[in-house]
Structures are given as structure tokens and as C-alpha cells.
Amino acid sequence: MSTPATPDIEVRTVADGEFTDWMRAVDVGFLRPSAADEEYVSGLKANSDPSRIQGAFDAGRCVATFRSFAQELTAVGGAALPVSAVSGVTVTPTHRRRGLLTRMMATELAAAKERGEVASTLIAAEYPIYGRYGYGPASHITEWEIDTSRAGLDPRWAAPAGGGSVELVDMAEAAKLGAEVFERFRPTRPGAISRDRRWWDLRTGVARGYGPWTEPFFAVYRTADGDPAGFVVYRADDKWSDAKLPENTATVTDLIALTPEAERALWHYLCSIDWIRKVRTGRRAPDDLLPQYLPNPRAARIVTHSDYLWLRLLDVAGVLEARTYAAEGAVVLEVVDPAGLAAGRFLLEADAAGARCTMTTRAAELTLDVRELASLYLGDESARRLLALGRAAEESAGAATRTDELFRTAGRPWCPDMF
């Protein structure tokens, strides 16, 4: 439990001349040596909204940090929701348990609601922190490591079937093709978030990122018609055994495909590179097709599985109306929000014409906290599971089942990006 906030610690937006000190406080909070040189700091500053950067100051020293920025989140059905992405959240070890994060979070969520952002997103470094602010885990990620020698793929593979091709491109072409493919992909995957120009500049070396940058390999898949339909970004280490045998690992940092054929071709390409003995897949959706692309799926072992994108709803009616539903029907949801930002009783109705969500005085059928509704929203959770876990209450028999029939999705949501 947090102790009462120290009254002489000032929580406010960061002044222009304090940005470098604020960035140093971020490094302290994340237990890393400062690598924020002048070029990186100036680039981040130029691409940030100063009104959305908060700091806590004790006798002039920055001891807590908080930043948000505008983002788009793909809802079920493809709608792009305007949300507030939260990042750079730290509290210096000497100033823990003083309510500093609570103060900064309250300021941000109220401001986000006022700006018309329907929700807030973040990637949680630690699980227990953000539930108390109304966030719930809305998507998960899984990472596999593939033993290429056991995968069962044809070692003589040289090109995709069906006339497609895989080609390596330079960073200028990578930024152009990558952005084009990603913008076609984004509306198709609930949980995907927007990537702006700076995102691509940082990842192709145009802009200075945090810490040293090493140019990756960037391969593009094209269909038989020459249309770019997927890409992969990866790096490789340089390891050799005592017997002078290659033991290298290719680590994927980004793989986006518009079709299963493109995805299959890119994984086969990675597993066929000479000297590569293992492939680390990076953050994939838990229901990714990858293991089943391999003749021997056991060659891909799970090395990471975790919650990933967390969501905090601010406009319940707005977000529920924005997504599509798997069936026609209606349910009355009682949403509990101790912060008072999204509480209320809502009638959700879905039919062939779309969805409508309005405040209602009808009796509630399912009661749940705003954080549990966030976990349910993108299709990564089930109302019946929440009921079994004691995280939802069924006020009308069968309400959880009807809710699941509405919220059911064909696949799990996926956010491929860290922010």
C-alpha cells in the first residue's frame, strides 16, 4: 500500500529545460546506465507532446516519470480506436510508496478522457501494478525457438512455391515497403497499434535510437505478381563450436505477413539460411500458425509466454460500439470503476446493422470491473472464465454464455510492438 504523498514533492508537466534530467530519471527507474545522448533526447523531445510528459520533482530533482502519446488501436472488425499510449513510467527507488504514480496516472486518465481518447494502453513491466488503475491484460504473446535441424523442412529450399519470391532490401526500401505492408495488415488484426514515421526512422537507422544501433537484415516476400505481402526483420549472432561448426541464432524482431503463404515462406526462408541452427521468433500471437508450418512442430519450443498489451477503457459505450460481434443479441453490463471514469450500466445490442451501446436503467445481467471488461474486449478472455475466477457476477442466468457468444473472435488479438 502506498504511503501518503509527501506534500513538497511537486507533480507537473516537464519544462523545456528539464527534459534531459527527466530522461536520466527514466534510465534510473529502469535500472540502466544512461545512453540518452543529445541526438536521441532531442529527437524524442521533438516528437513528443510536452503537455503529455509528467515528472515528480523533489527539491528540483526529477524522481518519477510518466509520458503518453496518441495511438490507434485496432478493434475487432478493424476500426481504429483513438487511445492514449502510456510509456516511460518510473519512480526512483528512493521515492517509492509515496503515491507519485497514482497522482500522475490520475492526471493522465482524466486528460485522456477529456481529449476524447476512448481508452489507454500500456505494456506492463510488472503484473501487479496497473490493475488498481483499471487496466486489464487484453492480449498475450508467445515466443518460440526453432531448432532448424529438427524442423523437417527441405534443406534444399531456395524459393517459395507458386512463383513468389523473397529478397533482401536496404534500409531505405525497408522503410517504404515495411510501412506499406504494415498499414495493410493493421486493420486485419485486433490488438495491433499504429506505427508513425519516427517508428520506422528509429528501426531503419534514419533517426538515433536508445543505445547503439546495429543494422538488421530486412527481407521482403513478394507474390508472383510482384506485390509485397510480407516482411521479416532479423539479426544473427556469430557463434562457432570448437569443431569449427556454425551454431548461429537468427533473432526475429519483426515479421508481418498479409497471407498464410507469405508467412510460411518467410519462416521457411529463415530456417533455410546457411549457418543458422536456431531461430528465435520474437513476440508472436499465442495462436500463431508457426509451429504447424513445420513438418515437426516439436522443433519449436516455447521460451516465453506472457501477458502483453494492457487496456484501460475510458468510454465504454464508444469502444463497445466500435467493434463487431460474432452473433446477434443483447446483454446489460454493470461496469464497476472505482475511479469513476467508466462506471455505469450499459445495454449492448448487436445485430446485422451493427452495434449500439447506451446507458440504461434495466436490470444488470453481468457485473464486472472495468479491468475485466478490458480483458474481454479484444477477444482474449471469456466471460465464463471470469465468472469461474470470481471476477464477474452473473445477475441473470446464462448472461455469461450470451456475452461470450457476442464477444467470440476467430483468433486471439496480437500486438507485435513494444512502446
Side-chain angles (χ1 to χ4, degrees), residues 69-85:
F69 57 93
Q71 185 184 77
E72 289 185 345
L73 170 69
T74 302
V76 177
L81 303 179
V83 301
S84 177

Side-chain angles (χ1 to χ4, degrees), residues 8-15 18 55-63:
D8 57 352
I9 297 180
E10 184 182 15
V11 173
R12 56 173 171 78
T13 56
V14 175
E18 297 171 324
F57 294 85
D58 187 0
R61 177 191 171 203
C62 187
V63 295

